[in-house]
């Protein structure tokens, strides 16, 4: 207890024991007397997100979190748990949100912001927004009460807003279907598996489907302990086997024999990455970079870019958020190749902070799955629309009309 607090307490005790202020009510009155300023209130106390009442249509959503409540009601508990869960104590998952508060924006005034340009160019294609859809496996399980479209619904939504989409190796829909819905090739995310023969086959198939860019995920090489999933799973009354027993392989593995193969890739090294790089004309990014050392190695090993990510807190419970790592990663990698980022992005201001640090684009994972799980394509469309609008308004307020004009002067770090 500091000395001010100690003497305040002493004074209250004195007042309370005084015959003039007998009884506890008097002591409280004394407290008010000492501190006449009302305790600060937070406006969110009066208008919190009601987690018991889901929105009925996408237009009702005020921010992206409204979709989480609706998705929670729609998606079976086991599937919702799989999506929501991180690792162990969820320290990294929480840090992914909380650490945005370590950084502030530095708004500038009197710049003409009547026209906002959020266009971004990546590997010869122009997107209307720097917000992209991260690869998320098995999306049919997440829109189960809507229309079973899986990754095709986000693709159609990404087409409406002209966003980049990355399709998971473990997607429940094929590259062919998703490209058709998006109207242009999406990026392919590669899980290499423990077999280089299978890796080669996956790369060949991606090329054959017209893929121009491939992101190799390098942060899921070991096991993981998804306790949140295990606990939520217990609340599901259905038997997993009833649905899963007839499920065939994912489309990526439709013609690949994976018997005896570790679907993770504990044997993945820089040597494997170089071999993949040398076997394809596709642009190659690594997804899951979280330290400056690995960022430097990406540049040295001729990667075309990389994605700063901790897999949305699902890889290891390191406690290190993506956003906290970004400034030192940018310092190490320079601006030689595009640096994308994901994990915890939920607000236009989150995106703006990362862009100010030097990121080229920011990915969202769970938020668009909340949209998918509540209203299918229309839900994803609205999630993207909300984030686009927030970013545009934030750019206006900060005095930057064009993404290209954003510099590190737009942010500052306030704590380590
Ligand atoms: C349910 C779920 C499945 C995922 N599947 C994959 C995957 O197949 N491949 C991959 O590289 N990342 C996968 N990720 C990680 C995302 O691509 C992304 O890094 C993460 O979701 C971003 O964090 P956010 O959910 O906080 O936005 C998955 C994430 C979730 C939540």
């Amino acid at each position: 207890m500091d000395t001010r607090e100690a003497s305040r307490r002493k004074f209250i005790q004195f007042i309370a024991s005084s015959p003039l202020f007998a009884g506890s009510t008097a002591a409280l009155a004394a407290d008010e007397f000492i501190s006449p300023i009302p305790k600060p209130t937070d406006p969110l106390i009066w208008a919190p997100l009601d987690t018991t009442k889901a929105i009925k249509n996408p237009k009702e959503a005020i921010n992206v979190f409204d979709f989480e409540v609706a998705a929670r009601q729609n998606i079976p508990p086991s599937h919702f748990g799989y999506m929501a869960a991180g690792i162990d104590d969820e320290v990294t998952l929480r840090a992914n949100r909380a650490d945005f508060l370590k950084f502030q924006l530095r708004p500038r005034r009197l710049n003409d912001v009547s026209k906002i340009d959020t266009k971004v160019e990546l590997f010869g294609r122009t997107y209307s927004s720097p917000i992209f859809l991260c690869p998320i496996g098995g999306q049919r399980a997440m829109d189960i009460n809507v229309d079973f479209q899986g990754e095709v619904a986000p693709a159609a939504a990404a087409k409406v807003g002209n966003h980049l989409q990355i399709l998971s190796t473990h997607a429940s829909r094929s590259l062919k279907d998703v490209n058709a819905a998006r109207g242009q090739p999406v990026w392919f995310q590669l899980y290499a598996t423990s077999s280089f023969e299978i890796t080669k086959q996956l790369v060949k198939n991606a090329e054959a489907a017209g893929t121009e860019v491939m992101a190799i995920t390098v942060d899921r090489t070991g096991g993981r302990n998804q306790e949140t999933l295990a606990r939520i799973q217990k609340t599901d009354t259905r038997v997993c086997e009833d649905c899963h027993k007839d499920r065939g392989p994912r489309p990526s593995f439709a013609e690949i024999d994976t018997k005896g193969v570790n679907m993770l890739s504990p044997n993945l090294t820089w040597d494997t990455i170089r071999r993949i790089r040398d076997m394809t004309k596709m642009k190659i990014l690594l997804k899951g970079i979280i330290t400056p050392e690995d960022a430097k190695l990406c540049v040295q090993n001729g990667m075309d870019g990389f994605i700063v990510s901790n897999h949305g807190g699902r890889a290891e419970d390191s406690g290190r958020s993506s956003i906290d790592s970004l400034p030192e990663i940018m310092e190490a990698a320079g601006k030689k190749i595009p640096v994308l980022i994901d994990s915890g992005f939920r607000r236009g201001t989150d995106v703006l902070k990362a862009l100010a640090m030097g990121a080229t684009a920011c990915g969202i994972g769970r938020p668009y799955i909340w949209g998918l799980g509540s209203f299918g394509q229309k839900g994803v469309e609205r999630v993207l629309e909300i984030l686009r609008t927030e970013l545009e308004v934030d750019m206006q307020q900060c005095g930057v009309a064009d993404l290209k004009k954003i510099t590190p002067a737009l942010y500052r770090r306030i704590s380590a």
Side-chain angles (χ1 to χ4, degrees), residues 122-188:
L122 275 164
F123 306 116
R125 288 198 184 264
T126 303
Y127 301 92
S128 303
S129 164
I131 299 161
F132 69 91
L133 301 184
C134 292
I136 300 251
Q139 291 181 28
R140 268 191 161 153
M142 258 70 89
D143 76 337
I144 199 148
N145 289 328
V146 186
D147 51 11
F148 300 97
Q149 287 191 335
E151 290 79 358
V152 159
K159 183 180 183 185
V160 172
N162 187 22
H163 293 262
L164 164 67
Q165 179 184 12
I166 310 181
L167 191 73
S168 165
T169 301
H170 294 305
S172 39
R173 300 298 299 270
S174 68
L175 266 170
K176 187 167 165 259
D177 291 349
V178 173
N179 286 343
R182 178 60 184 85
Q184 68 182 51
V186 298
W187 293 8
F188 179 65

Side-chain angles (χ1 to χ4, degrees), residues 35-64:
S35 204
I37 304 162
K39 296 228 161 17
T41 58
D42 186 318
L44 289 184
I45 293 171
W46 314 118
L49 173 73
D50 185 347
T51 53
T52 61
K53 229 190 254 157
I55 51 168
K56 301 273 184 303
N57 72 69
K59 286 283 166 216
E60 274 180 53
I62 289 167
N63 60 35
V64 300

Side-chain angles (χ1 to χ4, degrees), residues 82-85 96 134-137 142 168-170 189 191 217 219 287 309-314 342-346 363-367:
Y82 173 68
M83 185 253 305
N96 278 343
C134 292
I136 300 251
M142 258 70 89
S168 165
T169 301
H170 294 305
Q189 173 268 322
Y191 275 132
T217 296
D219 62 6
K287 174 174 182 283
S309 170
N310 57 29
H311 220 99
R314 294 162 73 81
D342 71 36
S343 297
F345 286 76
R346 308 288 183 262
I364 53 164
R366 295 179 184 86

Side-chain angles (χ1 to χ4, degrees), residues 152-415:
V152 159
K159 183 180 183 185
V160 172
N162 187 22
H163 293 262
L164 164 67
Q165 179 184 12
I166 310 181
L167 191 73
S168 165
T169 301
H170 294 305
S172 39
R173 300 298 299 270
S174 68
L175 266 170
K176 187 167 165 259
D177 291 349
V178 173
N179 286 343
R182 178 60 184 85
Q184 68 182 51
V186 298
W187 293 8
F188 179 65
Q189 173 268 322
L190 177 76
Y191 275 132
T193 82
S194 63
S195 150
F196 195 69
E197 279 314 301
I198 290 184
T199 302
K200 275 202 312 210
Q201 194 59 52
L202 289 168
V203 171
K204 256 178 61 187
N205 292 349
E207 278 175 334
T211 309
E212 296 163 357
V213 184
M214 184 169 75
I216 309 174
T217 296
V218 294
D219 62 6
R220 286 286 300 113
T221 48
R224 60 181 176 185
N225 178 28
Q226 294 195 287
E227 290 181 17
T228 303
L229 165 61
R231 290 193 196 284
I232 297 182
Q233 219 161 18
K234 285 189 188 158
T235 66
D236 205 327
T237 50
R238 300 149 346 125
V239 180
C240 299
E241 260 303 288
D242 287 351
C243 301
H244 286 258
K245 66 177 182 309
D246 297 326
R247 209 190 71 183
R250 302 272 192 218
S252 297
F253 297 103
E255 276 138 37
I256 297 177
D257 183 7
T258 56
K259 248 187 245 112
V261 169
N262 186 338
M263 299 304 269
L264 299 172
S265 36
N267 53 347
L268 195 66
T269 64
W270 280 104
D271 183 51
T272 330
I273 299 295
R274 283 189 291 268
R275 287 171 74 192
I276 298 172
R277 179 201 65 195
D278 292 344
M279 79 166 75
T280 177
K281 286 204 167 50
M282 289 186 288
K283 299 287 181 196
I284 303 283
L285 290 90
L286 298 193
K287 174 174 182 283
I289 299 300
I290 208 75
T291 59
E293 294 92 322
D294 286 336
K296 263 189 196 156
L297 285 170
C298 283
V299 177
Q300 284 164 14
N301 282 284
M303 297 299 106
D304 296 292
F306 61 87
I307 306 177
V308 176
S309 170
N310 57 29
H311 220 99
R314 294 162 73 81
E316 63 277 311
D317 211 12
S318 66
R320 191 84 205 268
S321 67
S322 278
I323 195 69
D324 191 54
S325 320
L326 186 59
E328 64 181 44
I329 285 180
M330 291 311 303
E331 209 179 302
K335 285 209 87 176
K336 297 184 190 85
I337 50 176
V339 177
L340 286 67
I341 182 167
D342 71 36
S343 297
F345 286 76
R346 308 288 183 262
R347 287 285 189 186
T349 46
D350 302 340
V351 175
L352 199 48
K353 286 174 187 175
L355 297 179
M357 292 172 194
T360 305
C362 303
I364 53 164
R366 295 179 184 86
Y368 83 89
I369 299 298
W370 301 335
L372 178 68
S374 15
F375 306 104
Q377 179 187 332
K378 290 285 167 212
V380 184
E381 273 179 37
R382 179 75 181 128
V383 163
L384 287 169
E385 183 186 49
I386 288 173
L387 290 175
R388 277 198 309 272
T389 308
E390 285 187 5
L391 176 62
E392 282 168 24
V393 168
D394 296 334
M395 285 172 69
Q396 274 183 317
Q397 276 304 125
C398 286
V400 276
D402 189 332
L403 286 195
K404 290 180 214 73
K405 302 228 170 83
I406 295 175
T407 71
L410 191 63
Y411 88 97
R412 73 175 190 125
R413 182 191 274 273
I414 56 163
S415 67

